[in-house]
Amino acid sequence: LLLSAQVGRVDEVEDDLRGMLAAEDLDDLTALQVYEALSHGFWMNHRINDTLQVLEFWIKWRPQDVEPRLLRADVYNEFSDPVSAERE
């Protein structure tokens, strides 16, 4: 599932991955991998709002993580928002 999302086939596995995130017994490592797979998959498919939403959830959950902030900076930079990109 994770690999499918990361290589751009996120539409095929999105519901399953979101279901995993909603599960109460999901361990932190798996949650981290799901957030990463979804955010990269959405970004590859130019699903900007979905990308930003997943990154926002990831950052709120683990504010110390650098990767979601770097990806969000890439999104902002891609859409000519260098001020927001620089803040990340």
Side-chain angles (χ1 to χ4, degrees), residues 11-22:
D11 292 338
E12 298 171 17
V13 296
E14 178 182 358
D15 291 339
D16 291 330
L17 293 177
R18 287 188 184 271
M20 289 174 66
L21 287 174

Side-chain angles (χ1 to χ4, degrees), residues 16-31 35 61:
D16 291 330
L17 293 177
R18 287 188 184 271
M20 289 174 66
L21 287 174
E24 292 184 18
D25 61 343
L26 186 66
D27 64 273
D28 285 355
L29 177 59
T30 303
Y35 278 126
W61 173 56

